[in-house]
Amino acid sequence: MDLFETFFNVPVLVRTFPLLISGLIVTLQIGITSIVSGLVLGLGLALVRMYAPAALRLPVMIYIDIFRSIPLLVLLIIVYYALPFIGIRLSPFLSAVVALTLVSGAYTAEIFRAGIQAIPKGQFEASRALGLSYKDMMVDVVLPQAIKIVIPPLTNNCINVMKDTALASVVAMPDLLKQATQAQALAANPTPLIGAAIIYLAFLWPLVTLVSRFENRLNQRGA
Amino acid sequence: MRNIIEIEKVAKFYGDFAALTDIDLNITEGEVVCVIGPSGSGKSTLIRCINLLETYAEGGTIRVDGIPVEAGPNLDQVRAEVGMVFQSFNLFPHMSVLKNVMLAPMRVRKSSSKDAEAKALDLLKRVGISEQADKFPGQLSGGQQQRVAIARALAMEPRVLLFDEPTSALDPEMVGEVLDVMRTLAGTGVTMIVVTHEMGFARQVADRVILMNGGQIVEAGTPEQIFDAPKEERTRDFLSAVLNH
Ligand SMILES: Nc1ncnc2c1ncn2[C@@H]1O[C@H](COP(=O)(O)OP(=O)(O)OP(=O)(O)O)[C@@H](O)[C@H]1O
Ligand SMILES: [Mg+2]
């Protein structure tokens, strides 16, 4: 009984719920902005990585490796606390979005590359033999086929970005986790933290099951 | 008769390995040329150089309708004039048959979708698949897919059609329907270069047969010259190997 009162204190939850929802909105804003810009960045990086002259390819390969290696928390702290020393001052929101985008773009680039490389050589040859321009070949032939292949790993990446938004609380961003810890301090009760965990689960769990479903379907089709 | 394709001193290397050496070949407008020869002799490489799916060594030249085949602004024009049909069809699996045929005219020739559709339906009728226009390539038999691929190439109204073993991936009972379409095409004035193992087709349809070996043209002549009175030892060896297997 006592345990329940402590962790699932309904009056506390009701009182702090608006705070949690405002945190959720910030979390979604950071997450969605980073996911979208990460997708654009990743597609650009993937195309450069595959088709640009070697002089451009190499820096992009290095970029991709660095940003897949660096811990996101370290990057975020560098962006927020170190960049001001060279005059670059980003708001907590922008710092979080920039760090998440840089990393997500590196992962997305590799996902797109794998997707495009899974398209048989004959598709490129048929497009070129017909006289399609590079742009038309990508837009009409290659990317529509690659999208189907990359949707499961991209969704996975979206889940990771959404989870990683919680790190923004260390740069004073009032996201879901930050609001929950503040509410916990105010109410002197951990219920808001449990509430936040449940909210994370409520929107990420369905995405996780969606990925499994995609993957099962791809496996069935492959078999 | 004017030359639609002029190939001069063309060579192709993979590392040190010469896939083609010193190829000279002129093809006149409307001619049907069949290219035969053993596996690895450079047949595919030769026709793939004509639309620059493979690059060739410096020093050689290929011209299509007078336009040099080289990377650069002319390349799209060359490719629009030269259609290609592949052994493995290479249809676009995510588009309906109709859309497969409509795509290039709309993108490259800037046809309206109405014109492109009318022409695509007409071509699909010509190759005998108008009933399947709304299906996807994966729902068709190999023979049907290859006929769609021919229609797709024809939609660009090419002056030259390249075929790389168009029937080699087909079940035997479907070979005939594809060869029939090609035979009909041969009478329409389009220039055709056909890499094939179908000796019957070559004898019946070709104006000229070219035998390749080791990256070189060993012998060229009318089907009668090549099949009935081959001059070269290597031609005789090849023919006896394929005709007696
Ligand atoms: N990408 C490549 N790298 C290295 N060698 C290659 C490559 N492509 C082709 N070759 C070699 O070039 C030679 C000619 O190949 P090509 O495909 O033109 O032969 P082919 O006459 O079409 O044979 P087939 O009847 O088997 O299709 C072969 O020895 C082949 O191994
Ligand atoms: Mg070949």
Side-chain angles (χ1 to χ4, degrees), chain A residues 65-118:
Chain A
D65 286 350
I66 288 180
F67 284 93
R68 288 194 306 162
S69 315
I70 193 165
L72 184 61
L73 184 55
V74 174
L75 180 64
L76 180 60
I77 287 179
I78 288 175
V79 169
Y80 188 67
Y81 292 104
L83 288 188
F85 285 92
I86 56 165
I88 303 175
R89 230 168 274 279
L90 299 180
S91 67
F93 179 83
L94 261 186
S95 301
V97 166
V98 165
L100 283 165
T101 300
L102 290 174
V103 170
S104 170
Y107 281 102
T108 327
E110 287 300 276
I111 293 172
F112 277 121
R113 184 169 70 97
I116 291 171
Q117 284 180 341

Side-chain angles (χ1 to χ4, degrees), chain A residues 121-133 136 140-142 144-145 148, chain B residues 48 51-53 79 82 84 86 90-95 103-104 107-108 152 156:
Chain A
K121 208 167 107 253
Q123 295 289 303
F124 292 84
E125 292 187 343
S127 308
R128 287 156 65 201
L130 284 166
L132 293 182
S133 67
D136 290 336
D140 292 312
V141 178
V142 177
Q145 297 184 61
K148 286 196 195 124
Chain B
R48 289 162 59 86
N51 61 358
L52 211 66
L53 287 186
R79 284 181 172 160
V82 178
M84 189 164 206
F86 301 86
N90 296 346
L91 293 176
F92 305 133
H94 59 298
M95 293 180 195
L103 179 68
R107 293 294 181 269
V108 184
R152 179 177 68 175
M156 288 295 288

Side-chain angles (χ1 to χ4, degrees), chain B:
Chain B
M1 274 289 229
R2 54 194 280 286
N3 290 330
I4 182 98
I5 294 177
E6 296 160 316
I7 300 176
E8 267 171 51
K9 292 205 172 46
V10 161
K12 167 77 186 176
F13 295 92
Y14 291 108
D16 288 339
F17 174 76
L20 292 177
T21 36
D22 210 17
I23 302 282
D24 284 300
L25 178 65
N26 288 331
I27 293 173
T28 57
E29 182 133 43
E31 199 179 0
V32 177
V33 175
C34 284
V35 181
I36 61 175
S39 181
S41 57
K43 307 180 296 293
S44 299
T45 308
L46 174 62
I47 67 166
R48 289 162 59 86
C49 284
I50 295 173
N51 61 358
L52 211 66
L53 287 186
E54 305 289 349
T55 55
Y56 48 92
E58 222 155 289
T61 51
I62 300 180
R63 274 186 296 273
V64 172
D65 202 16
I67 307 168
V69 178
E70 58 196 14
N74 291 335
L75 184 58
D76 286 345
Q77 198 184 338
V78 168
R79 284 181 172 160
E81 300 295 335
V82 178
M84 189 164 206
V85 175
F86 301 86
Q87 182 174 343
S88 50
F89 329 135
N90 296 346
L91 293 176
F92 305 133
H94 59 298
M95 293 180 195
S96 70
V97 161
L98 185 65
K99 288 271 160 39
N100 263 274
V101 182
M102 289 167 61
L103 179 68
M106 288 177 64
R107 293 294 181 269
V108 184
R109 302 267 193 236
K110 311 291 178 206
S111 304
S112 70
S113 79
K114 212 169 121 233
D115 292 350
E117 179 172 335
K119 188 201 277 161
L121 287 171
D122 184 51
L123 284 168
L124 288 173
K125 196 184 287 170
R126 267 173 65 188
V127 300
I129 354 201
S130 38
E131 267 86 76
Q132 330 278 349
D134 294 322
K135 290 197 178 160
F136 283 82
Q139 299 169 291
L140 303 186
S141 73
Q144 291 172 324
Q145 288 191 54
Q146 194 60 300
R147 285 183 283 149
V148 173
I150 293 172
R152 179 177 68 175
L154 288 174
M156 288 295 288
E157 299 180 353
R159 310 274 295 276
V160 178
L161 271 178
L162 309 173
F163 294 82
D164 194 354
E165 301 197 27
T167 58
S168 295
L170 298 177
D171 293 337
E173 71 270 21
M174 292 170 187
V175 170
E177 65 194 52
V178 172
L179 292 181
D180 284 343
V181 168
M182 292 169 61
R183 202 171 286 127
T184 316
L185 271 178
T188 63
V190 63
T191 309
M192 291 168 57
I193 306 179
V194 185
V195 174
T196 186
H197 291 298
E198 297 291 334
M199 297 303 147
F201 177 85
R203 178 190 275 273
Q204 194 192 353
V205 179
D207 297 310
R208 188 157 39 137
V209 174
I210 289 174
L211 187 119
M212 292 190 68
N213 198 342
Q216 288 175 309
I217 294 175
V218 172
E219 191 168 355
T222 63
E224 293 73 30
Q225 286 169 336
I226 299 291
F227 291 115
D228 299 334
K231 291 200 189 68
E232 298 287 330
E233 177 86 48
R234 281 178 294 176
T235 310
R236 286 195 288 273
D237 289 348
F238 174 71
L239 289 174
S240 70
V242 289
L243 297 176
N244 299 330
H245 76 224

